[in-house]
Amino acid sequence: MNEKNSKLKFYGGAGAVTGANFMLKTDEKKILIDCGMVQGSEEEEEKNWADFEYDPKDVDVVFITHAHADHIGRIPKLVRDGFKGVIYSTDATRELASVMFEDSLSIARFEEKKTGREHYYDHRDVDRALDLWKTIDYHSETEIGGGFSVYFRDAGHILGSAIIEITRNGRKIAFTGDLGNSPTPLLRPTEFVTDANYLLMESVYGDRDHENVAERTEKLKAMILDTHDRGGALVMPTFSIERTQVMLYELNELIESGEVPTMPVFLDSPLAIEVTEIYKKYQQYFNKDIKRDIREGDNIFNFPGFQLSNTREDSRRINNEPNPKIVMAGSGMSEGGRILYHYQQYISDPSSTILLVGYQPVGGLGHALLNGEKEITLFGEKIQVNAKIESILSYSAHMQSSDLQEFAERAAEKGDLERVFVAMGEPKSSLFLVQRLRDHFGIDAVAPEEGEEIEIDF
């Protein structure tokens, strides 16, 4: 057995959902897994401007699990601050990351005009990052030098998401990134890790399960019909990657089957529109049922009444469209973007419905709405919450607690697994999952704190 001369350090994503940033340090290499931005309160987001707690020039390799901002958002800053190594991901992740960076910069330009504060990276940094970026296919063992190899499994979370397995001297550590809520309407099921010595896994829903998958479509159908009958607008904040595409598929099925009436459905997000085009390019990552539907001629992302709102003028015109209607807009966490303008328009309307279909961070507007807040402040104006507030969390792209437990149990079946590091979740979720893994499966599980460094035999 090797001496414990390697270390795993938790620079971000420990004790928190966002800001994933983990470093595997050995004598030969310094390897980063993800380099995400921190999302949440203004105080939390200040961390994105801070210097890294390591020298980016010393990092040899960065592996990216998937293209959500909380896993890629600080990569251009890493390059700006001196990183000159190689970035690896799947091909779909690289393409999605490119449009995510551009979207982030467009938002940053708007913020800079208001605050005068320069963003923590610019277009040149994005271009340099993409120049350093290489892609790896799923299920392809790839040598990265120094006796290290890497293997990507399908995480089933969003298009291109990967579980990253790193092997050295016959020892393996696996980083899950975010795991998918399988079975999903679009993507292939999450693959299991079966022979790792160490596992670093997510825990966003570590302490709770979602609604039954079969019931969620019925619940969505009921909310559409209810809002339609009341003559209101159904307003959904959706994440541009995966959630938007899943909801479009669900609406396609409901409307084309006649289960809900045809009505105007607006996708009010240039980013989500661009991402949907990327999804169309990578149909090889879809599950077999979706591939069959496409072969049979179903355009799964288009249906009667569906309209794209690319420009701000398009967005404003939505308000002139009479109800009933459905409006999908970003951001999914209700933190900014065009969804706030639709909240301003419809949240005081008792005939309308706000439907939350994704994770809403503690302290944020979406979380307040879920907790029954009756008055909110938008753009400096206090607004009464009269609309119905509903949620369907089973549309989350994150694995639920019981499945996370099964994932860890399967990883431990062969007896190779020595320790599980539980991260990327609120403390109560991570600690609940840790306790379950210890008590029910006899797995040595821990929830590291931010900044903690742990020796491993690797």
Side-chain angles (χ1 to χ4, degrees):
M1 187 172 284
N2 303 327
E3 293 181 4
K4 291 189 176 181
N5 59 350
S6 300
K7 296 180 175 66
L8 190 60
K9 186 149 186 179
F10 298 80
Y11 288 104
V17 174
T18 66
N21 193 209
F22 313 106
M23 183 181 284
L24 173 62
K25 297 193 284 187
T26 72
D27 292 338
E28 293 84 3
K29 284 186 183 293
K30 289 184 178 177
I31 299 173
L32 276 185
I33 308 297
D34 290 337
C35 189
M37 66 182 288
V38 178
Q39 296 171 305
S41 67
E42 288 184 12
E43 182 180 351
E44 283 294 299
E45 292 188 0
E46 274 295 309
K47 296 177 182 178
N48 294 316
W49 274 264
D51 291 337
F52 291 100
E53 295 177 45
Y54 48 84
D55 189 342
K57 292 192 293 292
D58 293 339
V59 177
D60 299 290
V61 179
V62 179
F63 289 107
I64 302 301
T65 60
H66 66 285
H68 275 146
D70 58 326
H71 292 258
I72 64 167
R74 295 182 87 204
I75 290 173
K77 176 175 169 54
L78 189 78
V79 172
R80 184 175 202 163
D81 291 355
F83 173 74
K84 291 183 172 62
V86 184
I87 303 167
Y88 290 102
S89 76
T90 63
D91 49 1
T93 292
R94 184 187 185 279
E95 189 161 354
L96 288 169
S98 177
V99 301
M100 292 291 284
F101 293 146
E102 289 302 316
D103 182 72
S104 211
L105 282 171
S106 68
I107 295 169
R109 284 194 295 271
F110 178 74
E111 291 297 320
E112 284 173 7
K113 288 178 183 177
K114 290 197 305 181
T115 66
R117 186 185 194 184
E118 184 182 337
H119 194 51
Y120 45 88
Y121 65 82
D122 60 25
H123 282 288
R124 290 167 297 179
D125 305 314
V126 171
D127 291 341
R128 284 196 291 263
L130 293 173
D131 286 342
L132 297 172
W133 207 304
K134 297 182 178 181
T135 62
I136 296 176
D137 292 334
Y138 290 116
H139 312 138
S140 174
E141 191 81 28
T142 303
E143 302 292 331
I144 60 168
F148 291 82
S149 66
V150 65
Y151 187 86
F152 287 178
R153 296 189 187 274
D154 195 337
H157 174 59
I158 66 170
L159 189 76
S161 59
I163 300 165
I164 296 170
E165 298 182 350
I166 301 173
T167 300
R168 171 179 178 255
N169 296 330
R171 307 278 290 170
K172 181 179 288 187
I173 180 168
F175 300 82
T176 68
D178 291 339
L179 294 169
N181 180 24
S182 299
T184 70
L186 298 179
L187 300 180
R188 299 179 301 201
T190 302
E191 295 181 322
F192 289 100
V193 172
T194 58
D195 58 353
N197 304 106
Y198 298 100
L199 176 66
L200 193 159
M201 67 184 295
E202 70 124 313
S203 59
V204 170
Y205 287 94
D207 61 343
R208 57 206 185 276
D209 278 357
H210 308 309
E211 301 101 332
N212 182 279
V213 171
E215 294 173 357
R216 69 187 181 191
T217 303
E218 285 302 312
K219 193 172 180 181
L220 174 63
K221 174 183 169 183
M223 290 178 190
I224 294 171
L225 291 173
D226 174 64
T227 308
H228 179 274
D229 291 347
R230 290 187 291 118
L234 180 67
V235 179
M236 286 190 281
T238 57
F239 296 96
S240 296
I241 306 178
E242 190 64 20
R243 200 68 41 80
T244 290
Q245 293 73 40
V246 166
M247 298 312 297
L248 288 179
Y249 173 73
E250 292 280 52
L251 291 170
N252 172 76
E253 293 290 287
L254 289 170
I255 289 173
E256 290 193 344
S257 68
E259 294 183 67
V260 301
T262 297
M263 68 188 86
V265 177
F266 297 95
L267 178 54
D268 187 19
S269 168
L271 176 60
I273 293 167
E274 193 168 0
V275 166
T276 302
E277 290 303 309
I278 294 173
Y279 264 66
K280 294 175 184 178
K281 288 175 59 178
Y282 289 95
Q283 294 176 10
Q284 69 267 33
Y285 296 150
F286 291 171
N287 63 48
K288 63 180 187 302
D289 294 333
I290 295 297
K291 288 178 181 177
R292 182 198 62 231
D293 289 348
I294 293 170
R295 282 196 306 271
E296 293 175 355
D298 188 2
N299 185 341
I300 63 170
F301 298 134
N302 197 15
F303 44 86
F306 181 52
Q307 301 178 49
L308 302 176
S309 299
N310 267 301
T311 68
R312 293 193 179 276
E313 186 60 36
D314 292 337
S315 182
R316 284 190 285 269
R317 277 198 291 266
I318 293 173
N319 295 332
N320 299 327
E321 183 75 33
N323 294 337
K325 62 192 171 198
I326 297 172
V327 182
M328 301 166 59
S331 74
M333 291 186 182
S334 305
E335 292 178 323
R338 295 185 182 181
I339 193 64
L340 298 184
Y341 294 95
H342 296 300
Y343 281 176
Q344 186 181 40
Q345 183 73 20
Y346 299 108
I347 208 163
S348 61
D349 175 16
S351 66
S352 291
T353 302
I354 308 297
L355 174 56
L356 302 167
V357 293
Y359 174 77
Q360 303 298 313
V362 175
L365 174 58
H367 193 267
L369 292 173
L370 282 175
N371 284 342
E373 193 71 45
K374 294 302 180 185
E375 184 180 83
I376 62 170
T377 301
L378 281 176
F379 309 112
E381 175 189 3
K382 292 191 180 298
I383 303 175
Q384 294 298 309
V385 179
N386 299 322
K388 272 191 175 182
I389 307 298
E390 300 280 3
S391 67
I392 310 179
L393 296 183
S394 55
Y395 279 114
S396 170
H398 287 271
M399 190 173 277
Q400 63 183 354
S401 181
S402 57
D403 292 336
L404 288 168
Q405 293 169 50
E406 181 189 2
F407 185 90
E409 182 186 22
R410 291 282 292 273
E413 273 181 351
K414 291 184 179 178
D416 297 322
L417 189 65
E418 296 169 21
R419 179 170 270 198
V420 173
F421 305 102
V422 177
M424 294 170 283
E426 293 171 9
K428 66 182 182 66
S429 298
S430 298
L431 292 171
F432 179 91
L433 183 57
V434 163
Q435 203 63 47
R436 295 287 292 187
L437 296 183
R438 288 176 179 172
D439 294 347
H440 290 258
F441 305 103
I443 294 173
D444 180 6
V446 294
E449 296 180 358
E450 185 176 339
E452 189 171 352
E453 185 173 81
I454 299 174
E455 287 190 342
I456 60 174
D457 186 3
F458 183 79

